[in-house]
Amino acid sequence: MSEFPPTPQSTDAVDHVSDETLRKLIGYQMKRTFNVLQADLTETLEPFGLRMLTYTALILIVDNPGLRQSQLAEAMDIERPNMVIVVDSLERRNLITRNTADYDRRANSLKATFAGRKLCEMANEAVKAHETRMLLGLDENARNRLIEALQIIEKSLAKKLTG
Amino acid sequence: MSEFPPTPQSTDAVDHVSDETLRKLIGYQMKRTFNVLQADLTETLEPFGLRMLTYTALILIVDNPGLRQSQLAEAMDIERPNMVIVVDSLERRNLITRNTADYDRRANSLKATFAGRKLCEMANEAVKAHETRMLLGLDENARNRLIEALQIIEKSLAKKLTG
DNA sequence: TATTGTTATACTCTATAACTATA
DNA sequence: TATAGTTATAGAGTATAACAATA
């Protein structure tokens, strides 16, 4: 009222955090996007007792009956030791069977059970809904270009690591 | 020679793993791409003794001198308890200072040191090179559309989680 | 010798509860 | 009472070395 307007306080408080420098980096944006994506997908799969890794493994076993753990690990790009507990958890729930392969007694032949295939189908529906929700702001073209761009980047970096 | 052509072996061995079902899912492709991206970025930052989290935190502190840990945690979308060790490691290397703020004695005011700013600049150069390497297969348009698409997805899902 | 699956182990990232000191 | 930072803790994901069984 009768006072002077408040003088700017002699603090160095930050009122708005600028992440301009970071926003320019694809890697940072990819991390942010992947984080919310993973959170939403985790929530989507929770009712089925599945996680991203177990869901992915289940699909691959359903689509490729008889594959070995090492093939599964390579396809999912995770280390064999880490595959063990993923397969453990699917087997424990009777979603897959894990039998010594007759063509190579070192290998485990993985196959989905009937229950495993049914659960996978149900989860697929939920995941489809999750993807639809996620891609709401993108038209068909934009979606295709996105997946293309991601594949190109994956190849660029995978090539670099190999060569 | 005089034998019949080899009869198909009665095994159920899988010679090629099909991930067709998965490739359709953006989430799966995003995970694959993010994984190679993160591996490459980790390697890129290793010479500077930085990781993705510490690098990101350092940039934000450089660009926003005086911000609090809680603001930093919110900007990076990680929990405050997890922020502590990130800031610890930056402070231990004298890349930042962590002082009680004069406007609120509960808060830590974070500022980059000269060494911190210099290291950040050098790391920025290396990360720029990493991004260039990564985006080799994409023209300017494709890069912009990619970052746009990622931002749209982030917003779609963040909105969903909030509302 | 090389490979498959396994165990043990360790490190990073993430998430929650509870404490302290300040507001 | 609410918030900022902290501690302790636990769960996932990821990575490597080493072993037994098998090829």
Side-chain angles (χ1 to χ4, degrees):
Chain A
M1 327 309 191
S2 66
E3 300 217 303
F4 292 110
T7 52
Q9 299 189 9
S10 70
T11 73
D12 45 7
V14 171
D15 49 298
H16 174 70
V17 177
S18 152
D19 63 348
E20 202 189 332
T21 310
L22 284 170
R23 283 278 175 184
K24 292 173 195 158
L25 300 177
I26 295 263
Y28 177 66
Q29 185 58 56
M30 184 105 63
K31 178 177 166 58
R32 295 186 68 93
T33 307
F34 179 67
N35 277 356
V36 293
L37 188 160
Q38 189 171 40
D40 194 273
L41 186 56
T42 300
E43 204 179 309
T44 299
L45 290 172
E46 200 275 334
F48 305 100
L50 294 171
R51 305 188 57 77
M52 205 164 176
L53 280 179
T54 47
Y55 170 67
T56 306
L58 183 56
I59 288 189
L60 287 171
I61 296 169
V62 166
D63 282 1
N64 301 275
L67 90 170
R68 330 172 155 208
Q69 278 183 214
S70 52
Q71 291 179 306
L72 184 55
E74 195 191 356
M76 288 177 60
D77 199 24
I78 72 173
E79 300 299 320
R80 269 167 294 257
N82 299 326
M83 194 76 257
V84 176
I85 59 167
V86 173
V87 171
D88 278 351
S89 99
L90 291 174
E91 188 190 28
R92 201 179 314 118
R93 295 180 56 202
N94 296 314
L95 301 173
I96 63 162
T97 58
R98 169 156 62 173
N99 296 313
T100 300
D102 30 335
Y103 55 85
D104 185 340
R105 300 193 50 234
R106 293 172 304 181
N108 281 343
S109 174
L110 305 176
K111 288 177 185 171
T113 63
F114 179 72
R117 286 192 298 275
K118 293 311 273 183
L119 188 75
C120 190
E121 276 174 33
M122 291 190 294
N124 283 341
E125 289 305 308
V127 171
K128 232 179 262 176
H130 145 84
E131 291 250 329
T132 302
R133 198 164 61 234
M134 182 169 84
L135 298 171
L136 217 65
L138 302 175
D139 61 25
E140 190 70 14
N141 259 339
R143 297 177 194 192
N144 291 334
R145 287 196 301 247
L146 169 60
I147 215 163
E148 266 175 44
L150 292 173
Q151 285 170 350
I152 288 172
I153 292 177
E154 185 195 349
K155 274 185 204 161
S156 294
L157 294 184
K159 200 186 305 168
K160 184 249 163 191
L161 290 175
T162 309
Chain B
M1 327 308 187
S2 65
E3 300 218 302
F4 290 109
T7 52
Q9 299 187 11
S10 71
T11 73
D12 45 8
V14 170
D15 50 299
H16 174 70
V17 177
S18 152
D19 63 346
E20 201 189 333
T21 310
L22 284 170
R23 282 279 175 182
K24 293 172 194 159
L25 299 177
I26 295 264
Y28 176 67
Q29 184 57 56
M30 185 107 58
K31 180 177 165 57
R32 295 186 68 94
T33 307
F34 179 67
N35 278 355
V36 292
L37 188 159
Q38 190 171 40
D40 193 272
L41 186 56
T42 300
E43 203 179 310
T44 298
L45 291 172
E46 201 275 333
F48 306 99
L50 294 172
R51 305 188 55 78
M52 204 164 179
L53 280 179
T54 47
Y55 170 68
T56 306
L58 182 55
I59 289 190
L60 287 170
I61 296 169
V62 166
D63 281 2
N64 301 273
L67 90 170
R68 332 173 154 207
Q69 278 183 216
S70 52
Q71 291 178 307
L72 184 55
E74 196 190 356
M76 289 177 60
D77 199 26
I78 72 173
E79 299 300 320
R80 268 167 296 256
N82 299 325
M83 195 76 255
V84 177
I85 57 165
V86 173
V87 172
D88 277 351
S89 99
L90 290 175
E91 189 191 26
R92 202 178 314 118
R93 294 181 57 203
N94 296 314
L95 300 173
I96 64 163
T97 57
R98 169 157 62 173
N99 296 312
T100 300
D102 29 335
Y103 55 85
D104 185 340
R105 302 194 46 237
R106 294 172 302 182
N108 282 342
S109 174
L110 305 176
K111 289 177 184 170
T113 63
F114 179 73
R117 286 193 296 275
K118 292 313 273 183
L119 188 73
C120 191
E121 274 174 33
M122 291 191 294
N124 283 342
E125 289 305 307
V127 170
K128 232 180 262 179
H130 145 85
E131 292 250 330
T132 302
R133 199 162 62 233
M134 180 171 84
L135 297 171
L136 218 65
L138 302 174
D139 61 25
E140 190 70 14
N141 259 340
R143 296 176 195 192
N144 291 334
R145 287 197 302 248
L146 168 60
I147 215 163
E148 267 175 44
L150 292 174
Q151 284 171 350
I152 289 172
I153 292 177
E154 185 195 348
K155 274 185 204 162
S156 295
L157 295 184
K159 202 187 303 168
K160 185 248 163 192
L161 291 175
T162 310

